Amino acid sequence: MARSYDQFCPAARALDVVGGRWTLLIVRELLLGPRRYTDLAAGLPGIGPNVLAERLRAMREAGILEQTKLPPPAATSAYVLTELGEAMRPLVDELTRWGMRLGGPPRPGDTFQLNWLLNVLRAAFRPEAARGVRETYEFRVAGETFHLRVDDGALDVRHGSAPEAACVLTADLGTFMALGARIVEVADAVERGLVALEGGLPAADRAVAILGAHPEATGGRHGIIGAVGASFRPEAARGVRETYEFRIDGLVFHARVADGTVAMELGPAPAPGPDAALATGLGVLLELGAGALPLEDALIAGSIEVEGDPEAALRMADVFGVVRTSQS
C-alpha cells in the first residue's frame, strides 16, 4: 500500500500522489509529448524496470497519465499526460527555475540528456521577448528532433518535427548550446558549416533572441572568452595561482587565476607560458562546460589536447567547472 501523510491538507494530498521518487521526473519527460515505455526508461537513467512499471501504474490510477496509441508509422502504445497531469507544467517549470538558482557545476557521475535541456529552455523562457511573435522553430540536434512553438508570449516545447516551421536548424549539441549561449551568431555558424539552416535567417535569429541567453543571465558577457569566464568557480580556485591558456578554433586567450579571482585576456599566456593549455573546438568546449562530456572521455576520444603540468590541467578543469568521471 502506498504511504500517505494522512493529513487533510491539499499540499499533503498532492505529495501523497507525486512526492515519491521518480514521479515528477516522469511528468518532466511527458511534458514534452507522448513517450513509449522504452523512451521513458532511456530518459530516466538509474530507474529499474519494476520501479518504472509501478510508478506508471500508480500515476495512471491517480489520473495523471493514460496510455494512447501513436499514429503510423510508429503505431505503438505510449504514455501521455491527462489534463490533470498537464496542469503540473507550471509546478515543474517553477521547480526547474528554483533548481537553476542552486547553481554549481555538474557532479562526478552526473548524466546529461538533451531532453533535460529542453525543460530548462521552457522554464527560462521570457514571455516579454516574444510578444506578438507567432512562429514555430524546428531543431535537429544530436539525432533528436524537437520543435518550439511561440504564440504571443507563450511557449510550447515538444518532441518531433513541426509541419509549418519558420526555420529548421540542424547542428551538433555543442553548436546548439553555443547558439543558445550567444557565443556564436546563427549566420556565422552557417557560414562556418556548423549549422544547416532551412528557412529564413531572420526567423532563426528571432528564435535565438527569444530562447537564448540574455545579458542578465551572463553578466553581459557574450562570446567564447566571456562564456569561459562565466564558468569560473572562485571556491575551487582558493590558493591557486596559475595561468591557463585556451586555444579554441583558432582563437587564443588565457586566464590568470589568483587565489579565487580570474582575469581573462585575449592572446597567448605571457612568459614563461601557461601552467596548462587546452586546445579543442567550440562544440567540444561547450559540451565540457555543460557536463555533457567528461574530461576523460574527451581525452580518450582525442577531441581535446592538453599541454603542461598534468596536475595543473586537473586544477584548470576544476576551476572552470569541467566534470570528471572520478575525482581524487
Side-chain angles (χ1 to χ4, degrees):
M1 180 179 293
R3 294 182 178 180
S4 171
Y5 288 102
D6 294 323
Q7 296 181 14
F8 187 62
C9 163
R13 287 284 177 87
L15 289 173
D16 282 346
V17 175
V18 301
R21 192 164 185 246
W22 297 109
T23 302
L24 279 176
L25 295 185
I26 293 173
V27 173
R28 177 196 68 186
E29 296 297 302
L30 294 177
L31 284 172
L32 297 173
R35 303 298 274 166
R36 299 169 299 179
Y37 179 91
T38 52
D39 296 328
L40 291 172
L44 298 165
I47 193 171
N50 292 339
V51 174
L52 177 56
E54 190 280 327
R55 293 294 185 274
L56 292 172
R57 178 196 59 78
M59 294 171 70
R60 188 168 57 246
E61 291 179 355
I64 297 173
L65 57 78
E66 60 188 7
Q67 286 186 280
T68 188
K69 199 80 169 179
L70 294 178
T76 187
S77 179
Y79 293 91
V80 62
L81 292 175
T82 62
E83 182 179 354
L84 181 64
E86 282 282 352
M88 296 179 66
R89 184 182 299 272
L91 171 64
V92 175
D93 286 349
E94 193 57 44
L95 186 64
T96 301
R97 281 188 285 268
W98 186 78
M100 291 166 65
R101 294 174 61 185
L102 299 178
R107 297 165 298 189
D110 276 356
T111 55
F112 174 86
Q113 293 192 11
L114 180 62
N115 283 354
W116 309 337
L117 181 59
L118 300 185
N119 282 285
V120 171
L121 281 178
R122 190 181 63 237
F125 175 66
R126 293 166 295 133
E128 68 278 4
R131 299 297 182 202
V133 178
R134 288 182 170 85
E135 287 184 319
T136 299
Y137 314 111
E138 181 176 319
F139 295 87
R140 302 169 185 170
V141 180
E144 297 280 348
T145 300
F146 59 94
H147 64 274
L148 303 98
R149 182 173 292 110
V150 178
D151 185 7
D152 191 21
L155 174 69
D156 191 21
V157 184
R158 298 282 173 171
H159 290 292
S161 58
E164 298 181 357
C167 64
V168 180
L169 287 88
T170 303
D172 61 23
L173 178 60
T175 302
F176 174 69
M177 293 165 60
L179 289 170
R182 310 290 286 276
I183 293 174
V184 62
E185 298 296 326
V186 178
D188 183 40
V190 171
E191 183 178 347
R192 293 163 61 184
L194 300 173
V195 167
L197 174 64
E198 302 173 30
L201 180 60
D205 284 335
R206 280 193 297 275
V208 172
I210 291 170
L211 303 167
H214 43 104
E216 310 93 271
T218 60
R221 293 175 291 189
H222 292 323
I224 299 175
I225 299 176
V228 173
S231 71
F232 178 69
R233 300 168 58 217
E235 70 280 2
R238 302 298 181 200
V240 177
R241 296 182 181 277
E242 292 178 325
T243 299
Y244 309 124
E245 186 172 288
F246 298 84
R247 305 162 192 165
I248 312 298
D249 283 341
L251 176 67
V252 180
F253 58 96
H254 63 275
R256 292 181 296 171
V257 176
D259 191 22
T261 65
V262 65
M264 311 289 299
E265 296 184 19
L266 186 64
D275 294 278
L278 180 147
T280 189
L282 175 60
V284 174
L285 177 72
L286 267 291
E287 291 187 59
L288 287 169
L293 178 65
L295 179 64
E296 289 90 336
D297 290 354
L299 287 168
I300 292 172
S303 53
I304 65 171
E305 296 180 5
V306 176
E307 300 175 5
D309 178 8
E311 292 298 321
L314 292 178
R315 286 190 292 272
M316 175 186 186
D318 289 338
V319 164
F320 288 98
V322 175
V323 68
R324 290 191 271 147
T325 55
S326 61
Q327 300 218 11
S328 57

